[in-house]
């Protein structure tokens, strides 16, 4: 496993090793031993980036990605692979939930994507305080993240189900924002409990079970005594967030959205940047955007 870890770390973060091989010895880039028979010629990718897997390959990748993700939670590619290989019947169930909802059906029809090319941050900064668009920009500034950190889906065969997984993945930061949670280990775990109660994805349960092992006893005690009860109760009673067309709610009041979805704030979380600084950064973005518009 140590050799496998070194091999994976030699690759760029977007690279996912073929589950048809295990690597032996220090020269892992030159020596590979096939584990399985070659795929039949009739197995073709169903969409760009799709990697078809048989049941053994899926299981092999699920176990390997789980081990790697637990050893290094920063490995977004391993966490993504774990989510896809363990999804099982949860994705068809989420698709049915979307199909039963007017907003969810529109999402499946439009298939919107969330990244810096599809979302104009400067435009969102123009929205008034209290709107979801302004709150999202402020959250990004406060956490120091961008919408471009989500891995593409590779291992789900059905193209529509692959989009459902991609939609969940790209909306994860919206869930952070609407739940008023920062990006740190304890807040991520609290949100994983929320997502499991709300969406039922197995990967969120795996993270919720094993993730707390990385916390200090004090943080673990607060997670289970304060955040987990909120997450299970709020996530279990709230509307399924997979059906929310967030991009069409930029101008809606955040408190109104929370009331509509049945969401209330969690216990006070630990933020690395004061809210005042994030609001100032969002206001600065707004002013610069207005200047640029004036020049045009």
């Amino acid at each position: 496993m140590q050799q496998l870890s070194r091999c994976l770390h030699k690759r760029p973060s977007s690279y996912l090793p073929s589950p048809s091989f295990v690597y032996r010895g220090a020269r892992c880039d030159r020596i590979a031993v096939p584990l399985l028979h070659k795929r039949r010629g009739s197995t073709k990718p169903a969409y760009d980036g799709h990697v078809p897997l048989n049941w053994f390959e899926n299981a092999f990748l699920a176990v390997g990605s789980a081990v790697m993700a637990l050893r290094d939670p920063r490995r977004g590619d391993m966490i993504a692979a774990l989510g896809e290989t363990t999804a099982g019947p949860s994705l068809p169930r989420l698709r049915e939930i979307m199909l039963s909802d007017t907003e969810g059906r529109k999402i499946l029809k439009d298939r919107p994507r969330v990244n810096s090319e599809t979302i104009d941050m400067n435009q969102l900064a123009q929205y008034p305080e209290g709107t979801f668009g302004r709150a999202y920009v402020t959250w990004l500034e406060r956490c120091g993240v961008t919408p471009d950190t989500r891995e593409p889906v590779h291992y789900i065969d059905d193209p529509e189900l692959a989009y459902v997984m991609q939609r969940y993945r790209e909306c994860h930061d919206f869930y952070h924002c609407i739940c008023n949670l920062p990006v740190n280990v304890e807040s991520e775990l609290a949100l994983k409990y929320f997502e499991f109660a709300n969406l039922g994805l197995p990967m969120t349960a795996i993270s919720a079970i094993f993730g707390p092992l990385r916390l200090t006893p004090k943080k673990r005690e607060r997670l289970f005594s304060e955040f987990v009860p909120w997450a299970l109760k709020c996530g279990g009673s709230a509307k399924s967030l997979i059906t929310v067309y967030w991009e069409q709610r930029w101008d809606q009041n955040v408190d109104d959205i929370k009331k509509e979805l049945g969401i209330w704030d969690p216990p006070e979380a630990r933020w690395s940047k004061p809210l005042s600084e994030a609001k100032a950064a969002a206001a600065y973005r707004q002013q610069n955007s207005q200047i640029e518009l004036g020049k045009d």
Side-chain angles (χ1 to χ4, degrees):
M1 185 58 69
Q2 290 179 349
Q3 297 294 346
L4 177 59
S5 176
R6 284 196 290 269
C7 293
L8 294 178
H9 280 286
K10 288 183 179 180
R11 306 293 184 177
S13 60
S14 61
Y15 174 82
L16 285 173
S18 170
S20 299
F21 297 91
V22 291
Y23 298 96
R24 295 180 178 175
R27 302 302 300 276
C28 57
D29 54 336
R30 297 178 60 182
I31 304 174
V33 181
L35 287 178
L36 304 171
H37 57 77
K38 294 181 180 179
R39 295 190 183 94
R40 297 176 182 175
S42 60
T43 303
K44 297 181 180 179
Y47 52 87
D48 289 343
H50 178 219
V51 180
L53 303 177
N54 61 39
W55 70 268
F56 186 84
E57 291 173 318
N58 190 87
F60 180 82
L61 183 56
V63 173
S65 60
V67 172
M68 292 300 299
L70 288 172
R71 291 185 62 181
D72 185 359
R74 295 169 297 180
R75 290 296 302 273
D77 53 346
M78 293 293 99
I79 294 173
L82 177 63
E84 295 172 37
T85 53
T86 60
S90 63
L91 291 179
R93 180 181 56 80
L94 288 177
R95 177 173 60 182
E96 290 305 312
I97 292 174
M98 296 178 76
L99 289 171
S100 67
D101 182 88
T102 302
E103 205 169 353
R105 287 195 299 272
K106 185 168 177 54
I107 294 171
L108 288 175
K109 179 181 178 181
D110 297 346
R111 294 197 179 187
R113 299 295 304 273
V114 180
N115 54 59
S116 58
E117 294 183 359
T118 61
I119 296 178
D120 187 340
M121 298 301 166
N122 291 331
Q123 183 180 4
L124 293 187
Q126 303 301 314
Y127 285 99
E129 285 285 349
T131 60
F132 179 64
R134 186 62 173 266
Y136 179 57
V137 171
T138 302
W139 182 88
L140 291 173
E141 294 284 358
R142 194 175 187 186
C143 296
V145 297
T146 74
D148 299 317
T149 58
R150 301 302 168 190
E151 291 284 332
V153 172
H154 294 294
Y155 305 112
I156 295 172
D157 292 334
D158 184 279
E160 190 168 54
L161 296 182
Y163 175 75
V164 174
M165 174 60 81
Q166 191 73 44
R167 180 65 180 174
Y168 154 72
R169 194 172 288 171
E170 293 181 354
C171 289
H172 178 75
D173 286 348
F174 293 149
Y175 305 165
H176 268 281
C177 178
I178 202 68
C179 291
N180 198 31
L181 285 170
V183 178
N184 54 49
V185 177
E186 54 266 39
S187 294
E188 285 288 353
L189 289 173
L191 192 60
K192 284 293 182 287
Y193 276 98
F194 178 97
E195 289 176 336
F196 178 69
N198 189 259
L199 304 174
L201 288 168
M203 180 271 293
T204 60
I206 296 171
S207 299
I209 292 171
F210 294 102
L213 298 177
R214 304 183 65 86
L215 295 176
T216 63
K218 184 177 180 180
K219 290 180 179 179
R220 192 182 308 123
E221 191 279 332
R222 187 177 184 224
L223 172 70
F224 286 111
S225 65
E226 298 183 28
F227 285 98
V228 171
W230 163 82
L232 296 179
K233 186 174 182 180
C234 185
S237 61
K239 178 180 179 179
S240 180
L241 299 192
I242 198 69
T243 65
V244 181
Y245 207 146
W246 302 99
E247 301 91 322
Q248 294 191 351
R249 292 172 174 259
W250 298 130
D251 60 348
Q252 191 172 348
N253 182 272
V254 172
D255 290 335
D256 291 343
I257 296 178
K258 288 183 176 181
K259 184 177 180 180
E260 175 190 342
L261 301 180
I263 293 174
W264 59 92
D265 283 344
E268 184 64 29
R270 175 178 58 87
W271 295 81
S272 60
K273 179 185 289 188
L275 179 58
S276 58
E277 290 186 19
K279 286 187 174 182
Y284 181 75
R285 181 189 288 271
Q286 179 188 34
Q287 292 173 0
N288 284 348
S289 179
Q290 290 174 345
I291 292 173
E292 293 296 324
L293 289 174
K295 289 180 180 179
D296 295 339

